[in-house]
Amino acid sequence: MSPSQSQTTPAPLPADVYSESIEQQFAIIRDFLLTPLGAALLANDPWVRRRVATPSELARHVAARVYRSKPFFVTAEIAQAIFSASRSLPEYTFTAESFPCPKAFVWLQEPICLYEGPRFSRRVLLHAFHWMLDKQLADEEGRIPVLFDGYLVDPDRPKGVPTFHVTVNVGWTLDEHYGAHAGEAIQQLSKPAGSPYHEDLSDILGPVFVRFVASCLSFMEQRITIPVSRPASRATRRRLERKHDAFQPAAEVQVIELRRRERRHHEHADEGDRERASRRSHIHPVGEIPSPSRPSQPTGIQSCVARGNDRDEA
């Protein structure tokens, strides 16, 4: 392999790095199902305040949704690029085919900032999210809901607490104005600053979060990014199995990666074609035989990220 090729091929992530998603899956099940910590963290959840569920019931519900979900891992660079691009996402329609699997737990290597400003005392950081698509939950009109939980960094649990919940129906279309600017959404809140922010968090930050998720799915549909099954770290699996016999960690993690483009291969092939064509041109007086056209490179990520960076930060 030539030096130029080695520079353009990123080194694969170590298994211990992307297996963090499995570690965090187990940590949620442990904290929200096997200890009282989960109920304490969810005592101020909107669903609890609306008496939809008690803190203990909600904690068990959170753990049950994460359990058996397919683990995903997104590197810091890709997550930030997708978030930047989400600000200029023109529109996106959620379909059943948008989701690679019905239930997923997506761990972000580094949290992304959904909002930083005067409304909240600290930056609002998203560290993970979960989706669940269940056709059995369709309503009388046949609408199928997709349930999302956003895990925000919390002083009492830095790895994330499912602080807000968002539901999107399959077939719903996100337009270019929905949640495009977090600052605009914050300004629409007219309640005094002393009011509990958890009550309105889903309404305020939900649109920004939904745009980010839609961009994640859109990138995969365009095959700008692809989920690649990577074997989980054996050391991680053995460690988790020792901690709790009933927990069966996933054997694979879906690592979100940029689709590799074999440009070097095509360039070398084109050079060979041109050399052979030049030799053939001595036989064919009409000139060189044109080389085959190169496959089109994926469009969208460069222009999308550029447009996102042109906008003001939320």
Side-chain angles (χ1 to χ4, degrees), residues 15 18-23 25 68-73 101 103-105 227-234 236-237 240-241 247-256:
Y18 60 72
S19 294
E20 177 73 8
S21 59
I22 300 177
E23 293 262 17
Q25 246 185 323
R68 299 294 188 188
S69 293
K70 184 173 290 188
F72 283 71
F73 180 87
C101 59
K103 294 172 61 178
F105 174 75
V228 180
S229 296
R230 301 291 186 191
S233 164
R234 292 183 179 180
T236 299
R237 296 187 66 194
L240 296 180
E241 289 169 351
F247 179 70
Q248 298 178 357
E252 294 181 335
V253 178
Q254 303 299 308
V255 181
I256 302 301

Side-chain angles (χ1 to χ4, degrees), residues 119-120 184-192 195-197 200 204:
R119 175 56 63 176
F120 304 132
E184 294 176 359
I186 296 296
Q187 292 172 4
Q188 293 173 5
L189 183 63
S190 59
K191 292 185 178 181
S195 64
Y197 81 91
D200 302 281
I204 298 169

Side-chain angles (χ1 to χ4, degrees), residues 40-303:
L41 292 172
L42 296 175
N44 199 35
D45 189 272
W47 285 2
V48 172
R49 292 218 297 260
R50 294 167 188 163
R51 298 185 179 181
V52 175
T54 66
S56 297
E57 290 172 343
L58 183 57
R60 290 194 297 270
H61 175 71
V62 166
R65 285 174 61 171
V66 171
Y67 187 57
R68 299 294 188 188
S69 293
K70 184 173 290 188
F72 283 71
F73 180 87
V74 187
T75 63
E77 294 80 7
I78 291 180
Q80 191 58 53
I82 293 175
F83 183 68
S84 297
S86 70
R87 300 189 184 100
S88 57
L89 182 69
E91 67 175 30
Y92 182 80
T93 299
F94 290 89
T95 67
E97 292 74 23
S98 299
F99 300 90
C101 59
K103 294 172 61 178
F105 174 75
V106 184
W107 177 254
L108 308 180
Q109 185 179 25
E110 296 292 340
I112 60 171
C113 182
L114 296 183
Y115 175 75
E116 181 177 13
R119 175 56 63 176
F120 304 132
S121 60
R122 60 180 185 272
R123 294 195 304 162
V124 180
L125 301 175
L126 179 76
H127 215 327
F129 63 92
H130 178 273
W131 78 63
M132 183 179 74
L133 187 156
D134 189 349
K135 295 181 179 180
Q136 296 180 351
L137 299 179
D139 60 16
E140 297 177 352
E141 298 180 7
R143 293 177 298 188
I144 302 172
V146 183
L147 311 178
F148 294 101
D149 286 334
Y151 284 74
L152 301 183
V153 173
D154 188 279
D156 295 324
R157 193 176 189 274
K159 294 298 185 179
V161 176
T163 314
F164 65 89
H165 322 284
V166 178
T167 301
V168 173
N169 288 328
V170 171
W172 177 74
T173 297
L174 175 154
D175 62 25
E176 60 182 354
H177 303 295
Y178 180 82
H181 297 284
E184 294 176 359
I186 296 296
Q187 292 172 4
Q188 293 173 5
L189 183 63
S190 59
K191 292 185 178 181
S195 64
Y197 81 91
H198 280 82
E199 187 68 35
D200 302 281
L201 197 60
S202 295
D203 295 334
I204 298 169
L205 298 177
V208 183
F209 165 74
V210 170
R211 288 191 71 86
F212 171 66
V213 173
S215 294
C216 290
L217 299 175
S218 176
F219 273 39
M220 284 191 286
E221 288 184 5
Q222 296 179 66
R223 294 188 61 76
I224 298 171
T225 58
I226 56 174
V228 180
S229 296
R230 301 291 186 191
S233 164
R234 292 183 179 180
T236 299
R237 296 187 66 194
R238 287 197 297 267
R239 183 169 60 252
L240 296 180
E241 289 169 351
R242 286 195 300 267
K243 288 182 178 180
H244 198 276
D245 296 337
F247 179 70
Q248 298 178 357
E252 294 181 335
V253 178
Q254 303 299 308
V255 181
I256 302 301
E257 300 179 357
L258 287 174
R259 188 183 68 171
R260 294 183 180 181
R261 290 159 42 204
E262 301 297 333
R263 291 192 61 184
R264 291 292 176 180
H265 170 76
H266 290 300
E267 286 174 0
H268 291 310
D270 288 346
E271 289 173 3
D273 290 339
R274 285 193 293 270
E275 184 178 351
R276 287 189 296 271
S278 179
R279 288 197 298 267
R280 288 196 300 269
S281 65
H282 294 291
I283 302 174
H284 298 276
V286 294
E288 293 188 357
I289 300 174
S291 301
S293 59
R294 298 183 184 180
S296 59
Q297 63 184 21
T299 59
I301 184 169
Q302 297 91 344
S303 60

